[in-house]
Amino acid sequence: MSFALLSKSRTEPVLDTFDNGLMPEQLSLRTLNRTLLLRQRLNERVDMPAAELIRHLVAVQAQEPNWPYVGLWSRLSDFRPDELSVLLEDRTIVRATTIRRTVHLTDAQDYRWLYPTVRPAIQPTLRSVHLRNATEGLDISEFTSAGKELLTGATVSRRDLGKLLADRFPGRAPRDLVHALGIIHPLVHHAAAGAWGAWRGRSVSVSLAEEVLGAPLADGPEPEMLVRRYLAAYGPATAADIQEFAGVTRLGSVLNGMRSSLRVLQDDSGRELFDLPDAVIADPDLPAPVRFLPAFDNSCLGHRDRRRIIGDQDRARIAKIASGGVPMYLVDGFVHGRWDLDGSTIRVTPWHPLTAGDADALHAEAERLLPLLAPGEKGKLVIERVVA
């Protein structure tokens, strides 16, 4: 399969750019915005299997169970929650810790190379101050063997696993022991942990990743694969952008080694951007409909410089609560405010004035979303006063 998953069509105006051997072409912020929307499937819903979209996006944030479903709904023309539930149950898609040391959904075969690629960013957590009480003085070899023994051929709830580990290594917090074991042994969550219906985390059972996948993980990191797959869905981008997305470091040298096989561009401040040579750069006038984004959506988290979708001032509004997840909505392609679900009511909090046309578009999109969020109920959209 080609990494350049975007193609020209009559409904998606595009602007091709080529290396002219002189100065790299400079892309405006609006061009980067429209290109991101195009590659993220946020400019127009697409008719494709959910598994294929997840693979294209590399990883879909799944820190809380329901949010990935909203993210897929915003991108797919005919998405139903049971489609993702089935993918989790048959292990086509797995739920596990990967990029940025957080829980994501990934294609099962992608997990085999992605986890080893981001593992160097996960392993230092074993020596972090948060796990000091659990790991200080611990015989890591004995602990590793005990964990594998308890999980081989089994799926165990994290609570029960913690109790079993604490029985063998007394005086240590069960929850921290499970956390430490998950750093040593890659673990995949049982499908029930990602099932539709819960807005907050539920009980999680885990299994050894290689047993779930039925195949070994890659022997080592595959940073070039990460770069190409990231650029297909999030590019053009800087080395810092890719590192922010994946939570890894030292990709500058990787990109330099790939330079001859990539397109080199610039943003409006002159920073160097990398892209796949045959990937499409969107026309800055590409239509951008209103979209409701889930909390933690990687379209808003996948770059160091996020101005291509959210302004610095708006990003600062939510900095203190961002770790808890903030669902946001787009107007004209950029984050315009936040939204929250209150029973069967969608409450929109604008950060900027809304035109009458934008308000109508929000109502229309909310009418489409409410049957997913509150099936069988008479839901509504409430637009609050603009928060300056």
Side-chain angles (χ1 to χ4, degrees), residues 75-103:
R75 292 168 165 89
L76 297 174
S77 57
D78 187 28
F79 174 73
R80 300 179 310 280
D82 59 354
E83 183 179 0
L84 178 54
S85 296
V86 169
L87 293 172
L88 289 166
E89 289 166 5
D90 68 16
R91 300 303 194 185
T92 299
I93 300 298
V94 296
R95 185 179 193 262
T97 298
T98 52
I99 63 171
R100 300 195 300 277
R101 297 187 300 215
T102 53
V103 176

CSV table of all heavy atoms in Angstrom, one decimal, residues 75-103:
chain,number,residue,atom,x,y,z
A,75,ARG,N,-15.2,11.6,10.7
A,75,ARG,CA,-14.4,11.4,9.5
A,75,ARG,C,-15.1,10.4,8.5
A,75,ARG,O,-14.7,10.5,7.3
A,75,ARG,CB,-13.1,10.9,9.9
A,75,ARG,CG,-12.2,11.9,10.6
A,75,ARG,CD,-11.0,11.2,11.2
A,75,ARG,NE,-10.0,12.1,11.7
A,75,ARG,CZ,-9.9,12.6,12.9
A,75,ARG,NH1,-10.8,12.3,13.8
A,75,ARG,NH2,-8.9,13.5,13.2
A,76,LEU,N,-15.9,9.5,8.9
A,76,LEU,CA,-16.5,8.5,8.1
A,76,LEU,C,-17.9,8.8,7.7
A,76,LEU,O,-18.7,9.2,8.6
A,76,LEU,CB,-16.4,7.1,8.8
A,76,LEU,CG,-14.9,6.6,9.0
A,76,LEU,CD1,-15.0,5.3,9.8
A,76,LEU,CD2,-14.2,6.4,7.7
A,77,SER,N,-18.3,8.4,6.5
A,77,SER,CA,-19.7,8.8,6.1
A,77,SER,C,-20.8,7.9,6.7
A,77,SER,O,-21.9,8.3,6.7
A,77,SER,CB,-19.7,8.7,4.5
A,77,SER,OG,-19.3,7.4,4.1
A,78,ASP,N,-20.4,6.7,7.1
A,78,ASP,CA,-21.5,5.8,7.6
A,78,ASP,C,-20.9,4.9,8.7
A,78,ASP,O,-20.9,3.7,8.7
A,78,ASP,CB,-22.0,4.9,6.4
A,78,ASP,CG,-23.2,4.1,6.9
A,78,ASP,OD1,-23.9,4.5,7.8
A,78,ASP,OD2,-23.4,3.0,6.3
A,79,PHE,N,-20.4,5.6,9.8
A,79,PHE,CA,-19.8,4.9,10.9
A,79,PHE,C,-20.9,4.5,11.9
A,79,PHE,O,-21.7,5.3,12.3
A,79,PHE,CB,-18.7,5.7,11.5
A,79,PHE,CG,-18.1,5.1,12.8
A,79,PHE,CD1,-17.3,4.0,12.7
A,79,PHE,CD2,-18.5,5.6,14.0
A,79,PHE,CE1,-16.8,3.4,13.8
A,79,PHE,CE2,-17.9,5.0,15.2
A,79,PHE,CZ,-17.1,3.9,15.1
A,80,ARG,N,-20.8,3.3,12.4
A,80,ARG,CA,-21.6,2.8,13.5
A,80,ARG,C,-20.7,2.3,14.6
A,80,ARG,O,-19.7,1.6,14.3
A,80,ARG,CB,-22.5,1.7,13.1
A,80,ARG,CG,-23.5,2.1,12.0
A,80,ARG,CD,-24.4,0.9,11.5
A,80,ARG,NE,-23.6,-0.3,11.3
A,80,ARG,CZ,-22.9,-0.5,10.1
A,80,ARG,NH1,-23.0,0.4,9.1
A,80,ARG,NH2,-22.3,-1.6,10.0
A,81,PRO,N,-21.0,2.5,15.9
A,81,PRO,CA,-20.1,2.0,17.0
A,81,PRO,C,-19.8,0.6,16.9
A,81,PRO,O,-18.7,0.2,17.3
A,81,PRO,CB,-20.9,2.4,18.2
A,81,PRO,CG,-21.7,3.6,17.8
A,81,PRO,CD,-22.1,3.3,16.4
A,82,ASP,N,-20.7,-0.3,16.5
A,82,ASP,CA,-20.5,-1.7,16.5
A,82,ASP,C,-19.4,-2.1,15.5
A,82,ASP,O,-18.7,-3.1,15.7
A,82,ASP,CB,-21.7,-2.5,16.2
A,82,ASP,CG,-22.4,-2.2,14.9
A,82,ASP,OD1,-21.9,-1.3,14.2
A,82,ASP,OD2,-23.3,-2.9,14.5
A,83,GLU,N,-19.1,-1.2,14.5
A,83,GLU,CA,-18.0,-1.5,13.6
A,83,GLU,C,-16.7,-1.5,14.3
A,83,GLU,O,-15.8,-2.4,14.1
A,83,GLU,CB,-18.0,-0.5,12.5
A,83,GLU,CG,-16.9,-0.8,11.4
A,83,GLU,CD,-16.9,0.2,10.3
A,83,GLU,OE1,-17.7,1.1,10.3
A,83,GLU,OE2,-16.0,0.0,9.4
A,84,LEU,N,-16.4,-0.5,15.2
A,84,LEU,CA,-15.2,-0.5,16.0
A,84,LEU,C,-15.2,-1.6,17.0
A,84,LEU,O,-14.1,-2.2,17.3
A,84,LEU,CB,-15.0,0.9,16.6
A,84,LEU,CG,-13.7,1.0,17.5
A,84,LEU,CD1,-12.5,0.6,16.7
A,84,LEU,CD2,-13.6,2.5,18.0
A,85,SER,N,-16.3,-1.8,17.7
A,85,SER,CA,-16.4,-2.9,18.7
A,85,SER,C,-15.9,-4.2,18.1
A,85,SER,O,-15.2,-5.0,18.8
A,85,SER,CB,-17.8,-3.0,19.3
A,85,SER,OG,-18.1,-1.8,19.9
A,86,VAL,N,-16.4,-4.5,16.9
A,86,VAL,CA,-16.0,-5.8,16.3
A,86,VAL,C,-14.5,-5.9,16.0
A,86,VAL,O,-13.9,-6.9,16.2
A,86,VAL,CB,-16.9,-6.0,15.0
A,86,VAL,CG1,-16.3,-7.2,14.2
A,86,VAL,CG2,-18.3,-6.3,15.4
A,87,LEU,N,-14.0,-4.8,15.5
A,87,LEU,CA,-12.6,-4.7,15.2
A,87,LEU,C,-11.7,-4.9,16.5
A,87,LEU,O,-10.7,-5.6,16.4
A,87,LEU,CB,-12.2,-3.4,14.6
A,87,LEU,CG,-12.8,-3.1,13.2
A,87,LEU,CD1,-12.5,-1.6,12.8
A,87,LEU,CD2,-12.2,-4.0,12.2
A,88,LEU,N,-12.2,-4.4,17.6
A,88,LEU,CA,-11.5,-4.7,18.9
A,88,LEU,C,-11.6,-6.1,19.3
A,88,LEU,O,-10.7,-6.7,19.8
A,88,LEU,CB,-12.0,-3.7,19.9
A,88,LEU,CG,-11.6,-2.2,19.8
A,88,LEU,CD1,-12.4,-1.4,20.7
A,88,LEU,CD2,-10.1,-2.0,20.1
A,89,GLU,N,-12.8,-6.7,19.1
A,89,GLU,CA,-13.0,-8.0,19.6
A,89,GLU,C,-12.3,-9.1,18.8
A,89,GLU,O,-11.8,-10.0,19.3
A,89,GLU,CB,-14.5,-8.3,19.5
A,89,GLU,CG,-15.4,-7.6,20.5
A,89,GLU,CD,-16.9,-7.6,20.3
A,89,GLU,OE1,-17.3,-8.3,19.3
A,89,GLU,OE2,-17.6,-7.0,21.0
A,90,ASP,N,-12.1,-8.8,17.4
A,90,ASP,CA,-11.4,-9.8,16.6
A,90,ASP,C,-9.9,-9.4,16.5
A,90,ASP,O,-9.2,-10.1,15.8
A,90,ASP,CB,-12.0,-10.0,15.3
A,90,ASP,CG,-11.9,-8.7,14.4
A,90,ASP,OD1,-11.1,-7.8,14.6
A,90,ASP,OD2,-12.6,-8.7,13.3
A,91,ARG,N,-9.5,-8.4,17.2
A,91,ARG,CA,-8.1,-8.0,17.3
A,91,ARG,C,-7.5,-7.5,16.0
A,91,ARG,O,-6.3,-7.5,15.8
A,91,ARG,CB,-7.2,-9.2,17.9
A,91,ARG,CG,-7.6,-9.7,19.2
A,91,ARG,CD,-7.5,-8.6,20.3
A,91,ARG,NE,-7.6,-9.1,21.6
A,91,ARG,CZ,-7.7,-8.3,22.7
A,91,ARG,NH1,-7.7,-7.0,22.6
A,91,ARG,NH2,-7.7,-8.9,23.9
A,92,THR,N,-8.4,-7.1,15.1
A,92,THR,CA,-7.9,-6.3,14.0
A,92,THR,C,-7.3,-5.0,14.4
A,92,THR,O,-6.2,-4.6,13.9
A,92,THR,CB,-9.0,-6.1,13.0
A,92,THR,OG1,-9.5,-7.3,12.5
A,92,THR,CG2,-8.5,-5.3,11.8
A,93,ILE,N,-7.9,-4.4,15.4
A,93,ILE,CA,-7.4,-3.2,16.1
A,93,ILE,C,-7.2,-3.5,17.5
A,93,ILE,O,-7.9,-4.2,18.2
A,93,ILE,CB,-8.5,-2.1,16.0
A,93,ILE,CG1,-8.8,-1.7,14.5
A,93,ILE,CG2,-8.0,-0.8,16.7
A,93,ILE,CD1,-7.6,-1.2,13.7
A,94,VAL,N,-6.1,-3.0,18.1
A,94,VAL,CA,-5.7,-3.3,19.5
A,94,VAL,C,-5.6,-2.0,20.2
A,94,VAL,O,-5.3,-0.9,19.7
A,94,VAL,CB,-4.4,-4.1,19.6
A,94,VAL,CG1,-4.5,-5.4,19.0
A,94,VAL,CG2,-3.2,-3.3,19.0
A,95,ARG,N,-5.9,-2.1,21.5
A,95,ARG,CA,-5.9,-0.9,22.4
A,95,ARG,C,-4.7,-1.1,23.4
A,95,ARG,O,-4.7,-2.1,24.1
A,95,ARG,CB,-7.2,-0.8,23.2
A,95,ARG,CG,-7.4,0.4,24.1
A,95,ARG,CD,-8.7,0.4,24.7
A,95,ARG,NE,-9.1,1.6,25.4
A,95,ARG,CZ,-9.0,1.9,26.7
A,95,ARG,NH1,-8.5,1.0,27.5
A,95,ARG,NH2,-9.4,3.1,27.1
A,96,ALA,N,-3.8,-0.2,23.4
A,96,ALA,CA,-2.6,-0.4,24.2
A,96,ALA,C,-1.8,0.9,24.3
A,96,ALA,O,-2.1,1.9,23.6
A,96,ALA,CB,-1.7,-1.5,23.6
A,97,THR,N,-0.9,1.0,25.2
A,97,THR,CA,0.0,2.1,25.3
A,97,THR,C,1.0,2.2,24.2
A,97,THR,O,1.7,1.2,23.9
A,97,THR,CB,0.8,2.1,26.6
A,97,THR,OG1,-0.2,2.2,27.7
A,97,THR,CG2,1.7,3.3,26.8
A,98,THR,N,1.0,3.3,23.4
A,98,THR,CA,2.0,3.4,22.4
A,98,THR,C,2.6,4.8,22.4
A,98,THR,O,3.4,5.2,23.2
A,98,THR,CB,1.4,3.1,21.0
A,98,THR,OG1,0.2,3.8,20.8
A,98,THR,CG2,1.1,1.6,20.9
A,99,ILE,N,2.2,5.7,21.4
A,99,ILE,CA,2.8,7.0,21.3
A,99,ILE,C,2.5,7.9,22.5
A,99,ILE,O,1.4,7.8,23.1
A,99,ILE,CB,2.4,7.7,19.9
A,99,ILE,CG1,0.8,7.9,20.0
A,99,ILE,CG2,2.8,6.8,18.7
A,99,ILE,CD1,0.4,8.8,18.8
A,100,ARG,N,3.5,8.7,22.8
A,100,ARG,CA,3.4,9.6,23.9
A,100,ARG,C,3.1,8.9,25.2
A,100,ARG,O,2.5,9.5,26.2
A,100,ARG,CB,2.3,10.7,23.6
A,100,ARG,CG,2.7,11.6,22.4
A,100,ARG,CD,1.8,12.9,22.4
A,100,ARG,NE,0.4,12.6,22.4
A,100,ARG,CZ,-0.3,12.4,21.3
A,100,ARG,NH1,0.3,12.3,20.1
A,100,ARG,NH2,-1.6,12.2,21.3
A,101,ARG,N,3.3,7.6,25.3
A,101,ARG,CA,3.1,6.8,26.5
A,101,ARG,C,1.7,6.9,27.0
A,101,ARG,O,1.4,6.8,28.2
A,101,ARG,CB,4.0,7.3,27.7
A,101,ARG,CG,5.5,7.1,27.4
A,101,ARG,CD,6.4,7.5,28.6
A,101,ARG,NE,6.2,8.8,29.0
A,101,ARG,CZ,7.2,9.6,29.5
A,101,ARG,NH1,8.4,9.1,29.6
A,101,ARG,NH2,7.0,10.8,29.9
A,102,THR,N,0.8,7.0,26.0
A,102,THR,CA,-0.7,7.0,26.3
A,102,THR,C,-1.4,5.9,25.5
A,102,THR,O,-0.9,5.4,24.6
A,102,THR,CB,-1.3,8.4,26.0
A,102,THR,OG1,-1.0,8.7,24.7
A,102,THR,CG2,-0.7,9.5,26.9
A,103,VAL,N,-2.6,5.7,25.9
A,103,VAL,CA,-3.4,4.6,25.3
A,103,VAL,C,-4.0,5.0,24.0
A,103,VAL,O,-4.6,6.1,23.9
A,103,VAL,CB,-4.6,4.2,26.3
A,103,VAL,CG1,-5.4,3.1,25.6
A,103,VAL,CG2,-4.0,3.7,27.6
